[in-house]
Amino acid sequence: MKLTGNLLIGAQEVSGTAGRMMALNPVMNVEIEPLFTFGGIEQVDRAVQLADDAFESYNRTSLAVRAALLERIADGLDAITPELARRASLETGLPVAQLEGEAAKSAIQFRQFASVVRQGRFRQATIDPSQPARQPRARMDHRMQKIALGPIAIFGASNFPISYSVAGGDTASALAAGCPVILKAHNGHPGASELMGRVIQQAVSDSGLHEGVFSLLRGAGNEIGEALVDHPLIKGVTFTGSEGGGMALFRRAQRRPDPIPVFTEMTSVNPTFVLPAALAARGAAIGDGFTERMLVTVGQACLKPAILLAVDGPGYLELKNAMMLRVDEMQARTMLTPGINMAYRKNLERQNNAGAVQIAAGGEPHGEWDGQSVLFEVDGACLLDKPTLSEEVFGPAALLVRVEDVEQLIAIARRFRGQLSATMQIDTVDYALAERLLPVLERRTGRIVVNAFAHPQEVSYASIHGGPFPATSDSRFTSVGMSAIERFLRPVCYQGFPDELLPEALQHNNPLGIWRLTDGELSKA
Ligand code: NAP
């Protein structure tokens, strides 16, 4: 597929008028063809207007048509996977095999959401039939279903350039809900973004849908993102990236005359708590497994386990040595973008200045944007004293915390801000302590893992990739998994409607054959 560097606005290719850029190959530190143009306010307005024009018809498409769109996108991703993975690798320095895995995961997500759409449960069809004889007052017929919010602005993430980007879970779940999507591509991988954008644009056209169902924009600086969030026809926003960026956009959306929901995923250190019996029994294995997981994708993963806490005692030295060995052996590798690399170096300094002691370091950087792996150690009292030590260092660095006793372990757990995940390494003897820790962790995380290491996110019905602030801006929702669709839906109640005017999901004979809650009971009747 030929890259043109144009914006994709509905069915059109548009050369942006607000500047241009070339992609960077961060491994070689050279720019790569072609020139990509930036959009401005005019292009934002055109894309959003088209999305609004598309909304009513797209939101009312049959479940079969919408599911077919998602499957076409999945097929399109499958067809370009080798090319997409090669381009994404050139632009990010991530290995081709890893990116092929991401493309496969993306295609699977679109197919899974097609199945969610066909099942129709996302409508949450709920029927309270009329009760004309009810005393003291008759009840009118009330029926509720969920409909789509409207046009959604999605900010593609930098760190998973396929599965959290243009063809990522946000796009899949918003399209599944019935929302047109305007995608603000991340400038870290413009070519990969264009390839995925073309697949979606083609699938919209092949499905005979309104062209405004999907547009892909690119911009310099904050202007285009701000214009999207401000646009009165945008009805929701998703974002994955820094806490500063996410909160700037969140606050902006709340200042609108009509505030809209903004679902940001920002920062998490995914703490691992190693309880005493587990530490004594298998300290070295835990240290090795944690560090291996921490180093995956050069430490640039939202679920990277970044902080390990263990009570000093039997097994601690073995754990520490295993962690140091892994880090010592690791070569420096290219980070995603110069900006992320510079932020990483600054954050290493922040840890040093806050009293963390560097106890291991991997190979020296050779390339301009290489990140050197680093392991810090600190004692529990210092961590309690210096809260900045518990903040994210996005990159291949981890902090080992030597905790004095179990009371200090619980006190530290209480100090963590909201997290995407937390892990407990436990043996049966640790269960009593685990029961004390559990309610503390439940309040602070969206996922609790036992005896495993934070793992590339499983995309399934029970998946939760969310958590209290600052992990996300809205802990009630997930950005990964089948319930991610709920971010883009809102309830509408239809009172006293004749059957002919009711949406199909709510009609008397249940023409869609979906599960519905009728008078409080689930049935397909
Ligand atoms: P970012 O700087 O927050 O940018 C993400 C996207 O949002 C980009 O498209 C950016 O546009 C846009 N944006 C950011 N701030 C904005 C604002 N105030 N107004 C309008 N648009 C705005 O994130 P990043 O480039 O991916 O990485 C930077 C840092 O984010 C990393 O070093 C890391 O600390 C953190 N991060 C964390 C995670 C995680 O999962 N925990 C994932 C990725 C990144 P422009 O590029 O055009 O400015």
Side-chain angles (χ1 to χ4, degrees):
M1 207 184 282
K2 187 172 165 12
L3 291 175
T4 62
N6 287 329
L7 311 171
L8 308 177
I9 302 187
Q12 307 299 313
E13 285 212 21
V14 178
S15 181
T17 50
R20 49 203 197 162
M21 65 171 280
M22 283 172 92
L24 180 75
N25 172 336
V27 176
M28 310 301 290
N29 201 25
V30 292
E31 290 187 323
I32 38 177
E33 296 280 343
L35 273 173
F36 291 89
T37 60
F38 289 136
I41 307 291
E42 207 179 302
Q43 278 90 30
V44 169
D45 191 51
R46 174 82 186 127
V48 179
Q49 194 63 59
L50 272 179
D52 190 66
D53 292 346
F55 176 65
E56 280 169 28
S57 61
Y58 184 58
N59 179 42
R60 285 183 157 255
T61 44
S62 70
L63 299 183
V65 166
R66 205 183 300 168
L69 166 69
L70 300 175
E71 285 163 348
R72 277 198 179 93
I73 296 171
D75 293 345
L77 288 172
D78 284 345
I80 64 157
T81 289
E83 182 186 6
L84 175 59
R86 270 200 312 275
R87 179 73 198 192
S89 176
L90 269 183
E91 293 180 337
T92 62
L94 296 173
V96 171
Q98 180 180 324
L99 292 161
E100 284 173 347
E102 263 196 58
K105 181 176 163 181
S106 271
I108 288 168
Q109 282 192 82
F110 275 93
R111 292 197 176 95
Q112 283 174 310
F113 276 109
S115 145
V116 166
V117 169
R118 284 208 172 86
Q119 289 161 6
R121 280 202 303 267
F122 72 97
R123 288 260 179 246
Q124 293 183 32
T126 304
I127 300 171
D128 296 336
S130 66
Q131 294 178 354
R134 193 182 69 170
Q135 291 300 330
R137 212 179 53 229
R139 181 171 85 179
M140 273 186 90
D141 188 276
H142 284 65
R143 291 168 189 246
M144 184 280 282
Q145 70 160 356
K146 294 230 170 151
I147 68 159
L149 282 182
I152 301 294
I154 294 179
F155 288 74
S158 59
N159 56 339
F160 289 92
I162 301 174
S163 62
Y164 278 70
S165 181
V166 177
D170 283 344
T171 304
S173 50
L175 289 176
C179 296
V181 165
I182 294 118
L183 202 304
K184 195 281 186 187
H186 197 285
N187 290 339
H189 50 272
S193 295
E194 185 183 324
L195 289 172
M196 291 180 278
R198 285 177 180 284
V199 163
I200 302 175
Q201 188 187 47
Q202 188 63 47
V204 170
S205 162
D206 291 348
S207 304
L209 294 167
H210 190 294
E211 59 171 320
V213 167
F214 178 80
S215 290
L216 177 81
L217 300 177
R218 204 178 305 107
N222 296 341
E223 189 190 33
I224 197 166
E226 291 175 351
L228 269 172
V229 172
D230 289 349
H231 201 292
L233 297 176
I234 286 289
K235 296 299 171 201
V237 178
T238 74
F239 167 95
T240 304
S242 64
E243 186 175 342
M247 286 313 294
L249 295 172
F250 179 85
R251 291 196 180 101
R252 208 170 172 97
Q254 304 319 305
R255 284 199 303 268
R256 285 169 47 127
D258 59 333
I260 52 171
V262 178
F263 303 100
T264 65
E265 192 225 302
M266 298 172 291
T267 176
S268 182
V269 293
N270 309 299
T272 294
F273 297 82
V274 185
L275 274 49
L279 179 66
R282 50 196 165 87
I286 293 171
D288 188 56
F290 171 95
T291 316
E292 181 190 18
R293 178 50 56 191
M294 180 279 279
L295 292 168
V296 167
T297 201
V298 201
Q300 300 160 115
C302 30
L303 284 174
K304 178 191 90 167
I307 301 189
L308 186 148
L309 305 109
V311 177
D312 200 2
Y316 185 87
L317 256 186
E318 290 80 352
L319 172 129
K320 178 173 167 176
N321 288 337
M323 292 176 80
M324 288 168 63
L325 189 65
R326 271 262 176 204
V327 168
D328 279 337
E329 284 172 348
M330 183 50 70
Q331 292 307 306
R333 289 165 297 160
T334 313
M335 299 188 74
L336 290 162
T337 65
I340 286 176
N341 180 281
M342 287 186 279
Y344 176 61
R345 291 173 195 216
K346 217 165 100 191
N347 286 333
L348 291 180
E349 249 178 71
R350 183 197 76 204
Q351 295 297 77
N352 264 318
N353 295 339
V357 179
Q358 186 176 313
I359 56 172
E364 293 281 336
H366 293 298
E368 184 77 10
W369 308 118
D370 282 359
Q372 184 180 25
S373 304
V374 173
L375 179 64
F376 293 104
E377 187 182 32
V378 76
D379 63 40
C382 182
L383 188 74
L384 283 169
D385 190 43
K386 297 266 173 55
T388 56
L389 284 168
S390 303
E391 282 175 18
E392 186 177 46
V393 178
F394 196 69
L399 180 66
L400 168 63
V401 186
R402 194 176 57 248
V403 180
E404 205 174 296
D405 54 28
V406 296
E407 295 312 318
Q408 191 178 61
L409 190 76
I410 303 263
I412 292 173
R414 287 191 189 286
R415 294 282 281 273
F416 275 111
R417 302 202 293 166
Q419 302 293 329
L420 293 173
S421 77
T423 293
M424 293 192 293
Q425 291 286 340
I426 53 177
D427 276 1
T428 42
V429 181
D430 296 312
Y431 281 8
L433 177 56
E435 276 180 27
R436 282 186 65 197
L437 199 51
L438 194 52
V440 180
L441 298 184
E442 277 172 343
R443 283 184 71 177
R444 288 165 179 79
T445 69
R447 184 148 71 115
I448 304 166
V449 183
V450 165
N451 290 345
F453 297 98
H455 201 262
Q457 183 71 43
E458 186 69 39
V459 182
S460 63
Y461 286 88
S463 300
I464 291 298
H465 193 68
F469 180 83
T472 76
S473 56
D474 194 334
S475 63
R476 295 168 297 172
F477 297 93
T478 175
S479 60
V480 176
M482 301 300 98
S483 48
I485 193 173
E486 287 166 20
R487 294 173 297 170
F488 307 114
L489 296 167
R490 68 180 181 83
V492 178
C493 180
Y494 305 79
Q495 187 180 333
F497 264 53
D499 205 42
E500 296 83 338
L501 283 184
L502 278 169
E504 273 190 309
L506 299 176
Q507 286 172 5
H508 285 94
N509 60 357
N510 193 7
L512 299 178
I514 60 177
W515 285 100
R516 311 193 297 184
L517 196 68
T518 304
D519 252 341
E521 298 288 335
L522 262 183
S523 81
K524 284 197 175 183

